[in-house]
Amino acid sequence: MALAHVLGVPRIGPNRELKFAQEAYWRGDIDAAALQAVASGIRQASWRRQQAAGLDVVTVGDFALYDQMLNHVALLGCAPARFGFGGVIGLPEYFQLARGSADCHAMEMTKWFDTNYHYLVPELTADTHFSLGVEWLFDEVTEAQTAGFTPKPVLIGPLTFLYLAKEKTAGFNRLALLDRLLPVYAQILARLKTQGVEWVQIDEPILALDLASDWRVAFERAYHHLHAAGPKLMLASYFGPLRENLLVAMKLPVAGVHVDCVRGGDELAQVIDWLPAIKALSVGVIDGRNIWKTDLNAVLDRYEGLHQRLGDRLWIAPSCSLLHVPVSLANESGLDAELRRWLACADEKIAALATLKTALNAGRQAVAGELADNAGALAARRASSRVHNPAVAARLATLSDTHDVRNQPFGVRQGLQRARFRLPAFPTTTIGSFPQTTAIRHARARYRRGEISEADYSAAMQHEIAHAVDRQEALGIDVLVHGEAERNDMVEYFGEQLQGYAFSQHGWVQSYGSRCVKPPIIYGDVSRPHPMTVGWTRYAQSLTGKPMKGMLTGPVTMLQWSYVRDDQPRAATALQIALAIRDEVVDLEAAGIGMIQIDEPAYREGLPLRKADWPAYLDWASRVFRISAAGVADATQIHTHMCYSEFNDILPALAAMDADVITIETSRSDMELLRGFGDFAYPNEIGPGVYDIHSPRVPDTAEMTRLLEKAAQVITPENLWVNPDCGLKTRGWPETEAALANMVAAAHALRQKHDAQV
Ligand code: GLN
Ligand code: ZN
């Protein structure tokens, strides 16, 4: 009898109930009891769904009122000391950690591995102590048992918890806290055992990362400490193959191991070789990171033999928690029936798991109808003319080695561009968006609802563009932008105009806290039927004699922030997008736009988890960027933009993109980027951001001048641009104008100084 379970499910609720309850609670509209009632309703519904599908256990502890790492901070009694809370906290304190308070800034947030989910980063110092904190996990176990479910609690493992935390004192290694942490984990496990829990899932996804040897060695110590402490442990790794950590994982004294067979399927034979005869093996066979139906017959072909060997030691599961996919297709009204048939969200993945379980245990004929339906859907997708566009294939076949190179090298282009634009030294510009005011959002909402005509909407947007141009002229900025008033989102705006992209109505996924995103779905060959930005940009250029920068989203970002096809490599999809962007770039140039920015904010987060996989990624990522850019004349200036810092380790790859100008976030880290310039001289022009756009604070001129002077020490002054860290869409106009005025003044100060020196 194969068993089935999930590692976790979405927690936002089918209609984002959690989001609305959280926000109502924060506003003071509902009390804690009402919030908890919504939370309990979401949990109970998820458990009912798992039980009804015939899963052998229901997962408990994957729920969180804000974030799972924050729940562990609360469980382990280690709220950062700077909040002054002590060991056991309540709900108000929990949310203060997440959102900050009048006198304490919130805990930092960062991306959970290579997903778009953000967790709160635990803060550790040499003085951090752990102790049993909140009772929430134990309460939820009781809640599940009372309702008649068999709970399998899930914990983030001690090593992953420490690894993902941040050291807040210098000269201290957080791994040193392991010995203090393990007894608390042992206590938690003992408590769960007294509650009658048989299995605990303990997540150690860092096993899919490059680990230094001290971390790898620590696994053995940790699990020797924990293996006898309580219930049976199912050690779960996911998000990638185990590689050199495989032996470490397989030899740990735990009762079962979960492996990600979607990303790490090649290792299965080795995993089985090393599986001791008493251990359970959970195989993650349904992709928890994407929204396509799984080929159930193919899974059965692969695992039926293994099931015969392992019997009830075989568990089947999705590859990772289903947190990263939308809840359900049930209410999906935004997608047509044909496309819908190819997709599976969390609910549909749980149903597929049930089908697989029955097929393994009772034979395929017991679910012949389901399997036939699944095979039919996959065959339809494979053959669909909406997926395969011969024109795209024909165009790809004509691509040559010269498609990704400009005509002349940067040195020559720079001379031509200087002669053409005659910009002052330290030219000033912005990153693209200006404040998205309520008026703008209002007009767009009304247009979408059909309450105003296209002509009225267009006039409203033109009005906004004219306002942005007027303000930039008044501020004395050198290179202008149109302000992106007409764009809701930098990926959606383009995706909606491209063939091969689809948009769901309710496909929400938690990004952090109450924030959810609705990623587009790339289902077919991508092409651009019509120009996407030319009209707005041409209009903006008509209002000014200064250069107007065209503004596009790059191929890597278009890929990274979407669900992508699983029937071809990511690089192949990115290449198709690159050609669509390239067409837009060429059309903008033909419309008289001399500078074009191709944003790639997601370029760095596309990096694979393992360093060994970086070169291959950087190779295709920089190539698709160059393909999107290289269709223009040498006097046309290509810009790119990136944010979220930490670029030192990929500077050569950024240079390989060969943009004429790169603007990049640096102010929050006090020009940390420039450290990398000691070893590597970035060859093209560069605008390190001189002020943080994430806060309404208006930095003064002296502060920005100081940052620029710092930059001018390592960047050739002739190559240095002056700009903010990122787009200004989340800011208001008053602070935007004040900050930009100071920024322009800083550029003037630098010019004067520079002139005096020459
Ligand atoms: N051009 C975009 C803007 O200014 C860039 C956004 C981003 O980097 N995330 O809004
Ligand atoms: Zn940015």
Side-chain angles (χ1 to χ4, degrees), residues 69-292:
M69 280 293 274
L70 184 61
N71 273 32
H72 280 67
V73 167
L75 175 64
L76 300 165
C78 61
R82 61 190 177 85
F83 284 86
F85 289 159
V88 183
I89 61 171
L91 209 49
E93 291 77 23
Y94 175 82
F95 286 129
Q96 276 180 43
L97 295 174
R99 309 176 67 229
S101 62
D103 28 45
C104 269
H105 61 86
M107 289 170 67
E108 202 182 300
M109 239 173 10
T110 197
K111 277 181 188 261
W112 177 249
F113 296 83
D114 60 347
T115 73
N116 266 327
Y117 178 81
H118 300 71
Y119 71 92
L120 286 155
V121 184
E123 299 173 15
L124 303 177
T125 70
D127 297 326
T128 301
H129 283 268
F130 306 96
S131 59
L132 211 48
V134 298
E135 294 281 313
W136 305 340
L137 178 66
F138 312 118
D139 294 346
E140 286 169 26
V141 167
T142 307
E143 180 188 13
Q145 288 167 331
T146 310
F149 302 108
T150 308
K152 176 207 59 181
V154 47
L155 289 168
I156 292 170
L159 286 155
T160 294
F161 181 80
L162 287 180
Y163 193 89
L164 297 179
K166 199 164 174 177
E167 291 153 4
K168 286 300 200 181
T169 41
F172 145 75
N173 178 357
R174 61 202 186 282
L175 188 52
L177 295 178
L178 183 63
D179 289 329
R180 268 185 224 163
L181 183 57
L182 290 174
V184 184
Y185 268 87
Q187 253 180 297
I188 294 167
L189 293 171
R191 273 282 295 274
L192 293 170
K193 189 169 185 172
T194 61
Q195 289 187 285
V197 165
E198 186 189 357
W199 280 97
V200 169
Q201 171 190 325
I202 192 149
D203 286 3
E204 292 286 12
I206 61 165
L207 286 165
L209 303 180
D210 297 320
L211 292 178
S213 64
D214 53 344
W215 285 89
R216 206 171 318 135
V217 169
F219 268 90
E220 211 186 293
R221 185 153 51 94
Y223 284 86
H224 271 285
H225 192 117
L226 299 182
H227 86 280
K232 290 186 220 164
L233 296 181
M234 172 67 77
L235 178 94
S237 84
Y238 44 83
F239 296 151
L242 293 159
R243 295 191 186 160
E244 72 286 354
N245 302 327
L246 187 138
L247 257 179
V248 175
M250 297 311 295
K251 285 185 163 175
L252 292 177
V254 290
V257 182
H258 168 89
V259 291
D260 179 340
C261 295
V262 174
R263 288 191 175 182
D266 296 347
E267 286 181 351
L268 186 63
Q270 259 180 295
V271 166
I272 296 166
D273 275 352
W274 285 103
L275 187 76
I278 41 154
K279 255 186 214 176
L281 177 65
S282 164
V283 288
V285 295
I286 289 180
D287 193 350
R289 296 288 302 273
N290 214 332
I291 39 68
W292 302 105

Side-chain angles (χ1 to χ4, degrees), residues 462-477:
Q462 289 200 345
H463 177 80
E464 296 295 339
I465 290 170
H467 176 69
V469 171
D470 178 67
R471 292 297 82 208
Q472 293 172 84
E473 294 258 20
L475 286 159
I477 292 175

Side-chain angles (χ1 to χ4, degrees), residues 370-394:
E370 284 93 332
L371 292 178
D373 189 53
N374 174 262
L378 287 159
R381 181 180 163 208
R382 270 193 296 271
S384 171
S385 61
R386 291 173 65 190
V387 175
H388 307 284
N389 179 343
V392 173

Side-chain angles (χ1 to χ4, degrees), residues 430-434 483-484 487 490 551-553 557 561 597 599-602 641-644 725-730:
T430 60
I431 306 304
S433 56
F434 271 99
E484 302 181 23
R487 302 184 191 175
M490 65 186 294
M551 199 57 60
L552 305 173
T553 303
T557 301
W561 290 349
Q597 179 172 312
D599 287 323
E600 286 289 22
H641 164 73
M642 286 180 199
C643 25
Y644 313 122
D725 265 346
C726 192
L728 299 160
K729 65 176 166 222
T730 57

Side-chain angles (χ1 to χ4, degrees), residues 406 417 420 589 593-594 596 632-638 660:
R406 304 280 296 270
Q417 292 164 18
R420 175 176 179 186
E589 181 185 54
I593 304 302
I596 299 157
V632 291
D634 292 321
T636 297
Q637 190 170 69
I638 297 290
D660 297 303

Side-chain angles (χ1 to χ4, degrees), residues 613-683:
D613 302 330
W614 284 20
Y617 164 75
L618 290 169
D619 191 56
W620 68 252
S622 61
R623 175 159 182 267
V624 297
F625 178 86
R626 289 192 307 271
I627 286 181
S628 73
V632 291
D634 292 321
T636 297
Q637 190 170 69
I638 297 290
H639 291 230
T640 189
H641 164 73
M642 286 180 199
C643 25
Y644 313 122
S645 279
E646 286 180 59
F647 293 103
N648 288 318
D649 46 358
I650 57 164
L651 280 175
L654 299 194
M657 294 165 77
D658 199 28
D660 297 303
V661 184
I662 185 170
T663 56
I664 201 158
E665 175 180 327
T666 42
S667 82
R668 275 197 288 186
S669 61
D670 203 47
M671 296 270 162
E672 175 66 9
L673 171 79
L674 305 174
R675 242 188 341 111
F677 284 69
D679 314 316
F680 180 83
Y682 183 79

